């Protein structure tokens, strides 16, 4: 197959250049094997060149690039249109090619020094990068250059004063660039030289632009994963402020954003789709863990009062989380009972019950029970701080006892031949094995599977750890 024509290559180039970084990265990975004079090889070369160009751009504009996402209209913090950064990059490449080449050489020298592992620090390309940023900053004020004018218009369209905020970000970019390698220390240690260094960087930023304080922390947050770790740096700079002082400052949006995110997570936990399967259960459980982490951050780095404001709101959120999780755990009891059905026999007041083994396990009931137990399993590590440790321990132990009792009864019926079909008994035991593993451990699952295979030996059992496949 021949390569694409020049006209088609230009069409593909335009499409690739307008795609988000994530898409370009995905294309690059997908086309790694494309070689030779093929259509895919032509596209691969184009994508590779675009990816390398963006890597250089993102390195040069590293302090502000993480804030350039989507259309730049996010209400959760300061963001700028991704296209604005692309336009500025295009403009600076056209207007300052010598500076771009200097940045390329500096980047290559730093990479070579790092690869050589000579025991000394690699060359820092920061000065070359900052020179390009300074050129872009100056060009933003020059309405004669089309790309920069278009970028400013996009920023202003995304939010009032967007272009001025972007320009301020470029102004303090060198300070943020110096701070980036130190962020790990700033977020893992407190006090002493660490706090002093963070305070100095903040003062340097506001010295350049008095209104740059919040933007400085926004740019730092963009470098952090998760972004709300920036609360630690804010606390260090402000010497662990009390709630009233921080709430009245221009930085009040940062803790409020975390509290809003907690509210969103609590709503998602309350709406967990039991038919969503194990991954839904795990994902919802991770939300509960996230809430405990975020509440810990706010409580640790800000002096709060439980009687009002953020402290009161956070206390209510913790109570809500505990209530939601306990509700989900109690719901799991009913779902497990439905997945391992029992039937009653006998007459009068004294009636006995036993496993209902005359039909295959219900896929829907089993799926819902697995979703609930995957949730319960995921939240176990955050139960103590989340305030639901006692409820979690009590209910999971009760579930384990119920499942183990069910297993013993099924095995007893299978040994005595008191089952209509050994294979149905085996299927119910495999369901119980999957469930017990989530409230005990994997060894419990393996034990039940081995006992089921030994007792119901008329058919080869699935491999240990293999999920039971149930017909709908």
């Amino acid at each position: 197959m021949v390569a694409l024509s020049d006209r088609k290559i230009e069409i593909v180039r335009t499409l690739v250049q307008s795609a988000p970084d994530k898409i370009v990265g995905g294309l690059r990975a997908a086309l790694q094997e494309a070689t030779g004079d093929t259509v895919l090889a032509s596209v691969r070369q184009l994508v590779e060149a675009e990816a390398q160009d963006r890597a250089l751009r993102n390195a040069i504009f590293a302090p502000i690039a993480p804030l350039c996402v989507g259309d730049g209209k996010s209400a959760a913090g300061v963001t700028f249109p991704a296209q604005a950064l692309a336009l500025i990059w295009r403009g600076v490449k056209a207007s300052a090619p010598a500076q771009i080449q200097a940045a390329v050489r500096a980047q290559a020298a730093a990479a070579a020094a790092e690869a050589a592992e000579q025991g000394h620090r690699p060359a820092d390309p920061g000065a070359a990068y900052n020179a390009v940023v300074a050129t872009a900053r100056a060009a933003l004020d020059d309405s004669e250059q089309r790309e920069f004018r278009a970028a400013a218009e996009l920023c202003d369209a995304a939010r009032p004063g967007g272009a001025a905020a972007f320009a301020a970000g470029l102004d303090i970019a060198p300070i943020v660039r110096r701070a980036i390698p130190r962020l790990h220390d700033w977020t893992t240690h407190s006090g002493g030289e660490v706090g002093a260094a963070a305070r100095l960087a903040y003062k340097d930023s506001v010295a350049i632009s008095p209104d740059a304080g919040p933007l400085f922390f926004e740019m730092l947050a963009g470098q952090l994963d998760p972004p709300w770790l920036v609360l630690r740096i804010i606390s260090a700079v402000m010497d662990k402020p009390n709630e009233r002082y921080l709430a009245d400052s221009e930085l009040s949006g940062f803790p409020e954003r975390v509290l809003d995110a907690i509210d969103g997570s609590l709503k998602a936990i309350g709406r967990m789709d039991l038919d969503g399967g194990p991954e839904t259960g795990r994902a919802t459980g991770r939300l509960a863990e996230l809430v405990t982490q975020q509440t810990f951050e706010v409580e640790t780095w800000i002096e709060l009062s439980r009687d009002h404001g953020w402290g009161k709101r956070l206390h209510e959120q913790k109570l809500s989380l505990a209530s939601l999780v306990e509700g989900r755990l109690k719901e799991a009891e009913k779902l497990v009972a439905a997945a391992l059905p029992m039937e009653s026999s006998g007459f009068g007041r004294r009636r006995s019950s036993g496993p209902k083994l005359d039909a295959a396990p219900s896929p829907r009931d089993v799926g819902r029970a697995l979703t609930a137990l995957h949730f319960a399993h995921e939240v176990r590590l955050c139960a103590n701080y989340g305030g639901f440790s006692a409820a979690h321990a009590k209910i999971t132990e009760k579930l384990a006892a119920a499942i183990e009792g069910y297993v013993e009864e099924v095995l007893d019926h299978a040994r005595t031949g008191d089952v209509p079909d050994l294979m149905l008994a085996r299927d119910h035991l495999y369901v119980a094995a999957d469930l017990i593993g989530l409230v005990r451990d994997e060894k419990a699952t393996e034990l039940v599977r081995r006992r089921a295979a030994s007792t119901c030996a008329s058919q080869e059992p699935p491999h240990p750890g293999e999920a039971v496949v149930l017909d709908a």
Side-chain angles (χ1 to χ4, degrees):
M1 184 179 292
V2 298
L4 291 175
S5 66
D6 291 344
R7 184 179 67 84
K8 291 182 178 179
I9 280 289
E10 285 304 312
I11 293 174
V12 175
R13 190 191 313 278
T14 301
L15 291 173
V16 172
Q17 288 177 344
S18 61
D21 288 1
K22 186 175 181 179
I23 299 298
V24 173
L27 285 173
R28 186 184 192 185
L31 295 170
Q32 285 296 319
E33 303 301 322
T35 58
D37 295 329
T38 65
V39 172
L40 286 181
S42 300
V43 176
R44 177 182 177 275
Q45 294 173 2
L46 189 153
V47 170
E48 186 71 26
E50 179 67 19
Q52 292 177 359
D53 185 69
R54 293 193 186 197
L56 177 63
R57 180 199 72 187
N58 291 341
I60 291 173
F61 290 94
I64 201 168
L67 302 186
C68 299
V69 292
D71 60 6
K73 296 180 180 180
S74 172
V78 176
T79 57
F80 306 103
Q83 188 60 23
L85 181 60
L87 286 166
I88 288 173
W89 177 238
R90 192 181 309 163
V92 81
K93 284 196 299 181
S95 62
Q99 286 185 325
I100 296 298
Q101 287 305 312
V104 171
R105 290 192 296 270
Q107 185 184 57
E114 186 174 2
E117 298 181 355
Q118 296 175 347
H120 59 76
R121 294 181 61 185
D124 183 8
Y129 291 170
N130 290 337
V132 177
V133 171
T135 297
R137 170 64 184 91
L140 270 178
D141 293 333
D142 185 0
S143 60
E144 297 301 319
Q145 299 193 50
R146 182 180 59 187
E147 289 84 2
F148 295 98
R149 183 172 65 252
E153 291 172 353
L154 278 175
C155 290
D156 281 335
R159 65 181 62 249
F166 195 97
L170 296 182
D171 285 334
I172 65 173
I175 298 170
V176 174
R177 193 188 306 280
R178 290 196 300 270
I180 290 173
R182 311 178 73 175
L183 289 179
H184 176 74
D185 285 340
W186 289 3
T187 55
T188 55
H189 303 89
S190 60
E193 295 182 2
V194 171
R199 284 191 291 272
L200 181 60
Y202 173 76
K203 289 179 180 179
D204 288 344
S205 295
V206 296
I208 292 174
S209 175
D211 297 328
L215 183 58
F216 170 76
F217 290 111
E218 292 282 5
M219 293 169 72
L220 294 186
Q223 308 293 330
L224 295 170
D225 185 20
W228 39 263
L229 288 177
V230 76
L231 288 179
R232 301 183 180 187
I233 304 175
I234 292 173
S235 181
V237 169
M238 302 182 73
D239 196 20
K240 193 175 182 180
N242 61 50
E243 175 185 333
R244 179 169 296 178
Y245 178 74
L246 185 55
D248 290 337
S249 77
E250 57 188 357
L251 303 180
S252 61
F254 289 92
E256 287 176 352
R257 203 180 303 166
V258 178
L259 295 174
D260 289 343
I262 291 174
D263 282 336
S265 295
L266 292 174
K267 290 179 181 178
I269 294 171
R271 295 194 303 263
M272 183 176 75
D273 180 12
L274 290 169
D275 294 312
E279 181 51 39
T280 295
R282 291 191 293 270
T284 308
R286 288 192 291 271
L287 282 179
E289 184 177 7
L290 175 62
V291 168
T292 62
Q293 293 172 348
Q294 290 173 322
T295 55
F296 176 81
E297 288 295 314
V298 177
E299 287 182 326
T300 301
W301 303 106
I302 305 171
E303 289 188 7
L304 302 171
S305 170
R306 186 178 292 187
D307 299 328
H308 57 80
W310 295 337
K312 182 179 180 181
R313 181 180 176 186
L314 195 67
H315 178 64
E316 292 173 349
Q317 287 174 329
K318 292 181 69 174
L319 292 177
S320 179
L321 174 64
S323 177
L324 285 169
V325 172
E326 289 181 24
R328 287 297 183 190
L329 293 174
K330 291 177 181 178
E331 190 175 33
E333 292 185 80
K334 299 177 182 178
L335 295 171
V336 168
L340 304 175
M342 305 287 285
E343 62 181 353
S344 299
S345 60
F347 299 94
R349 297 179 62 183
R350 302 187 112 190
R351 304 177 67 183
S352 61
S353 65
K356 183 176 173 59
L357 304 173
D358 57 353
S362 164
R364 183 173 185 269
D365 290 340
V366 173
R368 288 165 69 87
L370 285 171
T371 299
L373 290 190
H374 274 280
F375 170 82
H377 184 73
E378 197 70 34
V379 302
R380 71 195 188 284
L381 297 179
C382 65
N384 187 39
Y385 186 78
F388 47 86
S389 178
H392 185 274
K394 179 181 178 180
I395 294 175
T396 53
E397 186 59 37
K398 185 177 179 180
L399 284 168
I403 297 169
E404 289 166 349
Y406 179 88
V407 168
E408 295 302 328
E409 289 197 59
V410 174
L411 289 172
D412 185 59
H413 282 282
R415 293 190 194 98
T416 60
D418 190 21
V419 293
D421 187 335
L422 275 177
M423 292 305 97
L424 288 180
R426 184 207 63 178
D427 289 345
H428 283 278
L429 287 171
Y430 287 153
V431 169
D434 290 338
L435 298 179
I436 194 65
L438 293 169
V439 292
R440 289 291 194 213
D441 51 35
E442 292 183 3
K443 291 183 179 179
T445 294
E446 294 173 1
L447 177 60
V448 173
R449 285 181 174 275
R450 286 198 300 268
R451 296 180 70 192
S454 175
T455 304
C456 308
S458 61
Q459 182 171 324
E460 175 121 9
H463 187 276
E466 178 181 333
V468 179
V469 178
L470 303 172
D471 294 330

